[in-house]
Amino acid sequence: MPAERAKGMVPDNNRGDRSEGKVCSLWRDVWERLKQNKAAIAGLFLVAVITLAAVFAPLITKYDPGVQLVWTQGPDAQLVPPGTDHWFGTDIYGRDIYSRVVYGARVSLQIGVASTIISVVIGVILGAMAGYYGGLVDDIISWLTNVIFAFPFLLFVLALVAYLPPGLPLMYAAIGIVNWAGVARIVRGQVLSAREKEYVEAATVVGGSDVRVIVKHILPNILAPVIVQATLGMGSIIMLESSLSFLGFGIQPPTPSWGYEIDQGRQYLLAGAWWWSAFPGFAIMALVLGFNLLGDGLRDALDPKQNVGEGR
Amino acid sequence: MEAFYGRRSVLTNYVFRRLLAVIPVIVGVIAVVFILTSIVPGDPARLMVGQRGDPATIQKLREDLGLNRPLWQQFIDFFKGVVTLDLGRSYRTRMPVIQAIAERLPITARLALASMALAVTSGVTLGMVAALKQNSMLDYGSMIAALIGISAPSFWVGIMLVVLFCVQLRWIPGTGTGDGSWIYLVLPALTLGMRPAALIARLTRSGMLEVLGQDYIRTARSKGLTEKAVIIGHALKNAMIPVITVVGTGMAEMLGGAIVVEKLFSLPGVGRLGIEAILNRDFAIIRGQVLFMALIFVVTNLLVDLSYPLFDPRIKYGRTWRRE
């Protein structure tokens, strides 16, 4: 194993595929290191299982998440405890909680992925501009980053959501708009140090335009911390979405969402129906834990010495 | 060794620079809050009166609220208001926004302080024990607990705590503020303090592990100091720097992020005020609260920055990006 790793680290001197070869061996190397890390693999497993469940939800559930069995089976279908027919029990309307948890993963992952993409795109563009151009551009973008950082995440998104008409795409945008600052800060620092490197100087000397130098030469080399930040950020966005829907400002019912289920179920705790709140909570924990473990593992695998900030 | 005066001037410079750096951020915060709350799709006056309000009432309200004036004039008024601590009046109750926040603040502040005290004591203890007994069952146990603490949604853990302590064991009478006794604060503080406790435990552990390998620890030991003196006096103090950052940002976030816990435990704090304002479309309160929270955050961060030299005199006070 160490021999392979060492082999991967040797720069490929073949001019034709130099950049491709380097990227390839870097990622193979990262994967080798990631495989050694049991916690990271556990995280990857959790994320993969939940993602597959969300994608193939109709195949692995017996009941539609919206079907209220109370209409067909009467009160017997209400608040059924977990058993062979309903693995996670049913709610007060006789809906299958297992189905609702599985379908709820779709909302969480959709918001996580879409908002992360938005915040990474904004963060990379602004961070790269700040780091590359410096001067006034840097001052303005850094100032904006600090201003955005001053707002508490949840309250800021809540206020945005209050002003926007309800709907998923606007929620992606609201979270993405608030969340880009962490990425921008990391990218700026990375670009700032990459700018001084010889390969950037070389690319500039041969007449590469600013955009070309940033996109073709700098960005591929600073991808690692961005990926780590994005992975860890997925966890916090999923947590945020569940808090929003717990507060009643998330996805509108009847679309199943984990936070909303927890809030609904909490009213029946005194009646002994613990399962309604408990299982969606486990699901959130599993998915967030998965992203956190994977993010930590990626950070170690991509660069053991690099210390990426905690982010938000 | 630097001369006394030289060191003082470096410190004064640092404090001065930090204070100056805060001003543009505060101006930016005020601008963002204004923009956020001014580009409302729809007319706040109409939203407040409702769809069936007659045009004359809406027009009167618009004039009362100053909504008929040009945007830049509204911004200058808003800015002036913030500087003179006048955030306007609630659209609903007509109470000054500052007063509405001030009335609710003691409950949230008490909760935040209790949670942070709990988080610091448990987090630092867990992290220290884990570092000192590295790779033991104790270490693994605390770090798994910390990982769960970071990954579990606090409101869900809160619900489970209520089920356990209020419903099953009946140790705690219930939610709300009750007669104001401390017992009602236990579960909300546990719920809110869980995440920062977990973060602090992880940071303390990694900080301690890093510090314990340093030369000056070996020096301290070889001087014949007791293990307790080495750990508390030398190692812990140096491992505390990242922890202070978490305490600072955590305090600020709790004052704004107690929203979920306040809803869960029916506490009439600042977070609840925000939720009620959003539900009632009371834009003056929303605007005031977002601004208030952001300003608290900026001030807390400034205090955190200013406290660094107390813990680590070597910190270089060069131009840095905040919270590096």
Side-chain angles (χ1 to χ4, degrees), chain B residues 180-293:
Chain B
S181 82
W182 62 271
I183 191 91
Y184 287 94
L185 204 61
V186 174
L187 290 187
L190 266 176
T191 310
L192 193 58
M194 175 190 78
R195 201 181 138 78
L199 275 174
I200 291 173
R202 283 174 61 142
L203 285 172
T204 307
R205 179 181 178 273
S206 61
M208 283 291 277
L209 285 178
E210 204 184 310
V211 168
L212 284 175
Q214 303 280 330
D215 285 343
Y216 62 84
I217 295 296
R218 208 171 312 143
T219 312
R221 282 202 178 115
S222 60
K223 273 199 308 197
L225 288 182
T226 59
E227 193 60 21
K228 202 169 137 191
V230 172
I231 289 175
I232 295 184
H234 290 72
L236 193 59
K237 197 175 161 193
N238 281 293
M240 277 303 99
I241 291 181
V243 174
I244 301 166
T245 313
V246 172
V247 173
T249 53
M251 257 324 264
E253 252 166 50
M254 274 180 185
L255 289 171
I259 301 169
V260 163
V261 173
E262 283 175 16
K263 173 185 169 169
L264 183 60
F265 290 97
S266 319
L267 300 173
V270 185
R272 273 278 289 275
L273 179 72
I275 293 292
E276 288 160 13
I278 290 173
L279 288 173
N280 293 330
R281 303 207 150 257
D282 193 338
F283 294 111
I285 296 269
I286 301 177
R287 176 186 270 187
Q289 203 195 348
V290 173
L291 184 72
F292 175 74
M293 292 303 172

Side-chain angles (χ1 to χ4, degrees), chain A:
Chain A
M1 209 66 81
E4 273 176 42
R5 198 183 300 171
K7 201 173 139 201
M9 295 295 278
V10 173
D12 190 346
N13 286 327
N14 183 341
R15 273 194 71 176
D17 57 4
R18 187 170 52 189
S19 59
E20 293 247 335
K22 191 173 175 237
V23 171
C24 239
S25 58
L26 171 74
W27 291 111
R28 202 177 306 140
D29 193 49
V30 165
W31 172 238
E32 286 299 328
R33 256 179 288 174
L34 198 66
K35 271 201 299 195
Q36 316 275 317
N37 184 341
K38 284 191 195 114
I41 293 300
L44 185 63
F45 176 77
L46 282 173
V47 171
V49 166
I50 296 173
T51 309
L52 287 175
V55 172
F56 297 108
L59 300 179
I60 59 166
T61 51
K62 197 163 135 192
Y63 297 94
D64 184 279
V67 165
Q68 304 187 353
L69 294 176
V70 96
W71 298 105
T72 49
Q73 299 177 8
D76 284 350
Q78 279 182 325
L79 297 178
V80 177
T84 47
D85 195 28
H86 300 285
W87 292 353
F88 295 175
T90 65
D91 65 13
I92 193 75
Y93 310 104
R95 293 180 298 196
D96 183 53
I97 291 173
Y98 168 71
S99 294
R100 294 188 70 76
V101 169
V102 170
Y103 276 87
R106 289 185 163 186
V107 169
S108 290
L109 286 167
Q110 265 176 43
I111 291 191
V113 172
S115 306
T116 301
I117 290 174
I118 293 175
S119 45
V120 166
V121 169
I122 303 177
V124 166
I125 293 175
L126 291 182
M129 279 169 65
Y132 190 79
Y133 292 111
L136 189 65
V137 177
D138 183 19
D139 286 343
I140 292 173
I141 294 174
S142 300
W143 167 74
L144 202 61
T145 314
N146 286 339
V147 169
I148 294 290
F149 256 113
F151 291 96
F153 199 14
L154 178 62
L155 186 68
F156 200 8
V157 173
L158 260 180
L160 270 177
V161 170
Y163 283 102
L164 295 170
L168 254 184
L170 283 170
M171 196 161 10
Y172 302 153
I175 298 176
I177 287 169
V178 181
N179 204 36
W180 61 268
V183 179
R185 188 170 283 181
I186 287 169
V187 171
R188 174 192 177 269
Q190 294 286 321
V191 172
L192 213 55
S193 65
R195 200 178 55 171
E196 308 298 324
K197 299 266 167 65
E198 279 162 8
Y199 66 85
V200 175
E201 209 177 307
T204 322
V205 167
V206 297
S209 67
D210 288 350
V211 174
R212 193 183 154 84
V213 171
I214 294 176
V215 174
K216 294 270 304 187
H217 299 280
I218 297 182
L219 285 187
N221 283 291
I222 61 160
L223 218 57
V226 176
I227 292 172
V228 173
Q229 174 74 10
T231 313
L232 292 172
M234 284 285 286
S236 52
I237 290 176
I238 288 162
M239 193 76 98
L240 178 83
E241 187 276 328
S242 66
S243 305
L244 281 178
S245 42
F246 174 77
L247 291 170
F249 295 98
I251 289 307
Q252 294 307 301
T255 310
S257 160
W258 292 339
Y260 184 73
E261 296 296 310
I262 293 176
D263 182 40
Q264 293 293 299
R266 128 187 124 97
Q267 298 158 30
Y268 295 91
L269 286 172
L270 285 177
W274 54 270
W275 51 89
W276 193 352
S277 282
F279 288 109
F282 280 120
I284 299 172
M285 194 165 84
L287 191 54
V288 175
L289 185 68
F291 279 113
N292 283 343
L293 289 174
L294 185 61
D296 283 349
L298 277 173
R299 168 166 48 198
D300 296 343
L302 282 162
D303 191 344
K305 284 184 210 132
Q306 189 121 40
N307 194 8
V308 179
E310 282 287 327
R312 300 197 77 161

